[in-house]
Amino acid sequence: MSVARVTEIISESKKSFEDAIVKGVKRANKTLDNVKAAWVKDQQAVIEDGEVVGFRVSLKITFVLKD
């Protein structure tokens, strides 16, 4: 039997929402072991002077705890 935990992170990219998700998951893997899933809780476009300059996502990262 395994036990999982969920933590929330926010990631940002200048390219796209997809890139923000990939960057967030890669960063989570540096700190957390056994990452199994990422759920996109929220998306947000960053606006400056009427232009979209960034893409931000809130991710819920699921990882399995060690025995």
Side-chain angles (χ1 to χ4, degrees), residues 2-59:
S2 61
V3 176
R5 182 169 181 172
V6 177
T7 190
E8 190 167 342
I9 64 170
I10 298 170
S11 179
E12 189 172 327
S13 169
K14 292 184 179 187
K15 293 181 185 178
S16 66
F17 287 116
E18 183 178 352
D19 189 53
I21 293 166
V22 171
K23 285 182 176 183
V25 170
K26 282 184 180 180
R27 178 58 185 89
N29 269 305
K30 287 183 179 180
T31 306
L32 305 171
D33 292 329
N34 302 316
V35 173
K36 298 298 181 187
W39 174 59
V40 179
K41 179 182 170 189
D42 194 27
Q43 295 180 331
Q44 188 177 37
V46 180
I47 310 294
E48 288 182 10
D49 298 322
E51 299 289 326
V52 176
V53 297
F55 303 89
R56 189 176 295 149
V57 293
S58 295
L59 300 171

